[in-house]
Amino acid sequence: MHQDVLDLARLQFALTAGGHFLFVALTLGLATVVAVLQTLATFGRKPLYARMVRFWGRLYVINYAVGIVTGLVMEFQFGMAWSGLTHEAGNVLGASLAVETIVAFFVESTFLGLWIFGWNRLNRWAHLAAIWIVVLTAYLSAYWILVSNGFLNHPVGHASEGGELVLDDPVAVLTNPSALLAFGHVLAGALLTAGFFMAGVSAYHLFRRSPEWEFFGRSLRIGVFLSAPALMAAAVFGGLQFGVLATFQPMKSAVFSGKAAEIARVQAEMAERFGPGDYVPSEAWTRGGGLVMLLCFALMMYLCFAGVILACFKKAVFRFRLWHLVLMAAVPLPYLAMIGGWVFREAGRQPWVVYGLLRTEDAVSDLSPGTMRLSLTVFTTVFVALALLDAWLLARHARRGPVESGLGHDERPDPADGGEGTPPDPADSLPAPRY
C-alpha cells in the first residue's frame, strides 16, 4: 500500500466524519429541546412556548436538512476508500449500519415531514407525538452508529470464518461497553451543544436590545440551565470511558498519560502478539485531541457554574452585556470539545481500524495517489460548502428572530373574515382543536 494513499484516505475520513458529527450534535440536542418546549406548549397552552417551538424548530430543521446531505456524502467513502473494512468486517458492521439507515432515512424523516407539514392539520396531540418520535428515532440512529464504532474500538461478539469476521453474539455487540458509554457521552454532548447554542443566540438578541426581550430572556435561561447538567453528564460518561480505557486500549491510555515505560511495555506485548510493527499511535494527535477536549471542558465548567448563578437574576439576564458577549463567544466551545474527543478516540487506536483484528493499512482500497487526491479534494470542497451554507442559514434565520412567517405559520384563509385577509397565527392564539 502506497503511504500517500493511506494518509490521504485517513485525512478524508477524519474531515468527513468530523464535519458530519458537528451537524449531528446540534440536531440531537435541538430536537430534544424543541420536543420539550412543544410538550410545555401543548399542555400549558402558553403562546410564548409555542412561538419558541417555531423559532428553535426552524433552526433545527435547517441544521437537520444540511446534515443529512453530509451523511449521504460520507457514506460513499466506505466503498471507495475503505473496501478492505467492508470486506473483512462487513458481516458484523453491515447489520447495524443498515438498521441505522432504516431508522434515520425512513422512520425519522417520515415523522419529521409529518411534524413540519402537519402544523394546523394534525391535532395538537398527534403533532406532539410526531416530534417525540423524531427525537427517539434520532437517538436510535445515534445508538446504531455507535454500535458500529464501538465494535471498531472494542470488537466483541464476533467469530472468524475463512479469514473474515462474522457476527457470532448479537447481544454482546449491542451491549458493547465501548458503544454504550460513548452513546451516553454523545447524547450529553449534544444537549450541551444545544444549550450553548440557545444561550449564544439569545444573548445576541438581548445584547442588541431586542423587543423580544421576554422570548430571548426565557430562551437564554433554558440554554444556561440545560448546559450545566449536560456538562456534568458528559463528564461522568467521559470519566467512565477513561476508566475502562486501560483495559480496552492500553496503548492509547499509555500514550495519553505520557508514560514512556508503559508505552514500551505495551509495544513489546503487541509486537509479540501480532508480529513486528509500530503499534504506537501519533502522540501529537492522541494527546492533543484529549487535551483540547479537557481544556474546553474546564472553560465550559466555569461558564456553566457562573451562568447558572447569573441566570437567577433578571437584571443580569437582560442587562449584563459583558455576559452576553461571553455567551456568544462560547458557542464554538462544545464543537471544539467534541472534535478533540473524536480525534482522541479514533487517532488513539491506530494502527488498527478494528482494534487487534484489522490494521488500517489493510483496510484501505487499492487506489492510486492521484485518485485519492482527487477524492479528497472533492469531498473536502463539498463538506466546506455545506458547512458554510449551514452556518449562513443558521445565522440568517437566528438574526431574524421569531418572525410571524415560516415554520408553523397558518396561511389558510380565516373563516371569520369570509376567506379573505390575513389569518390569525395559531402560535399566538393556540385554538383548542389544533396546535
Side-chain angles (χ1 to χ4, degrees):
M1 173 53 56
H2 198 288
Q3 186 63 35
D4 287 348
V5 174
L6 177 61
D7 292 339
L8 291 171
R10 291 178 62 190
L11 178 60
Q12 175 180 283
F13 190 85
L15 292 174
T16 53
H20 176 61
F21 184 67
L22 295 180
F23 293 90
V24 172
L26 184 59
T27 296
L28 282 173
L30 270 186
T32 308
V33 171
V34 170
V36 172
L37 289 173
Q38 184 161 341
T39 302
L40 295 174
T42 302
F43 282 90
R45 302 291 192 89
K46 293 183 178 180
L48 177 62
Y49 284 119
R51 297 180 68 228
M52 291 172 71
V53 172
R54 288 176 50 192
F55 174 70
W56 298 110
R58 182 166 66 246
L59 298 179
Y60 157 68
V61 170
I62 291 171
N63 193 75
Y64 177 89
V66 182
I68 282 291
V69 180
T70 64
L72 291 173
V73 173
M74 190 185 71
E75 292 290 339
F76 287 111
Q77 69 182 310
F78 282 108
M80 295 172 57
W82 300 100
S83 58
L85 173 62
T86 55
H87 177 74
E88 297 293 335
N91 291 323
V92 180
L93 300 176
S96 57
L97 291 176
V99 173
E100 189 276 334
T101 301
I102 294 173
V103 169
F105 292 101
F106 291 93
V107 181
E108 183 182 357
S109 299
T110 297
F111 280 92
L112 180 60
L114 290 173
W115 184 75
I116 294 173
F117 300 106
W119 288 80
N120 314 301
R121 292 172 175 84
L122 299 173
N123 68 58
R124 65 181 187 275
W125 302 110
H127 198 238
L128 178 64
I131 188 62
W132 274 113
I133 292 175
V134 169
V135 172
L136 294 177
T137 50
Y139 285 2
L140 285 174
S141 178
Y143 166 73
W144 285 108
I145 285 293
L146 289 169
V147 166
S148 299
N149 183 264
F151 179 81
L152 299 181
N153 281 275
H154 179 55
V156 295
H158 64 86
S160 180
E161 292 184 3
E164 298 181 4
L165 301 177
V166 296
L167 185 62
D168 181 60
D169 187 353
V171 175
V173 175
L174 296 178
T175 58
N176 188 343
S178 180
L180 296 180
L181 293 176
F183 179 64
H185 192 60
V186 166
L187 289 189
L191 293 174
L192 178 65
T193 305
F196 269 71
F197 180 79
M198 288 186 70
V201 172
S202 302
Y204 167 80
H205 285 275
L206 293 173
F207 181 82
R208 298 186 63 193
R209 298 291 192 262
S210 168
E212 294 282 359
W213 57 270
E214 183 182 7
F215 181 98
F216 287 109
R218 184 68 59 86
S219 295
L220 186 146
R221 282 179 162 173
I222 292 174
V224 169
F225 289 133
L226 171 64
S227 298
L231 181 68
M232 293 300 101
V236 169
F237 281 104
L240 291 174
Q241 291 184 87
F242 269 113
V244 299
L245 189 61
T247 302
F248 293 167
Q249 297 179 13
M251 180 60 82
K252 182 194 296 185
S253 177
V255 169
F256 180 73
S257 302
K259 299 177 180 178
E262 183 68 11
I263 293 174
R265 185 188 67 80
V266 177
Q267 165 66 24
E269 288 182 355
M270 298 187 78
E272 181 180 356
R273 179 180 176 186
F274 301 110
D278 183 8
Y279 297 95
V280 182
S282 169
E283 295 189 37
W285 284 107
T286 303
R287 297 194 68 191
L291 291 176
V292 167
M293 176 182 62
L294 293 177
L295 178 61
C296 290
F297 166 76
L299 292 174
M300 288 187 291
M301 180 180 65
Y302 291 121
L303 290 175
C304 286
F305 287 163
V308 168
I309 296 173
L310 291 172
C312 295
F313 301 94
K314 286 187 177 181
K315 287 187 178 181
V317 170
F318 297 115
R319 299 183 183 180
F320 195 178
R321 303 185 62 146
L322 178 59
W323 184 36
H324 297 159
L325 289 174
V326 171
L327 289 175
M328 285 185 275
V331 171
L333 282 178
Y335 291 103
L336 291 176
M338 287 184 297
I339 289 299
W342 274 112
V343 168
F344 171 73
R345 180 177 174 87
E346 301 306 305
R349 76 164 184 260
Q350 293 302 314
W352 303 102
V353 64
V354 181
Y355 196 81
L357 298 175
L358 179 64
R359 300 186 194 216
T360 306
E361 61 184 14
D362 297 325
V364 71
S365 300
D366 186 13
L367 301 172
S368 67
T371 301
M372 200 63 240
R373 289 190 186 95
L374 176 62
S375 175
L376 175 62
T377 301
V378 172
F379 272 81
T380 303
T381 302
V382 171
F383 265 74
V384 169
L386 290 173
L388 292 176
L389 173 65
D390 183 64
W392 177 75
L393 289 172
L394 287 176
R396 179 172 181 268
H397 286 274
R399 283 197 303 266
R400 291 176 63 189
V403 295
E404 297 305 322
S405 60
L407 181 67
H409 183 66
D410 191 358
E411 298 181 352
R412 295 174 300 176
D414 185 6
D417 196 25
E420 299 178 357
T422 303
D425 189 346
D428 292 330
S429 58
L430 282 176
R434 60 180 187 266
Y435 180 63

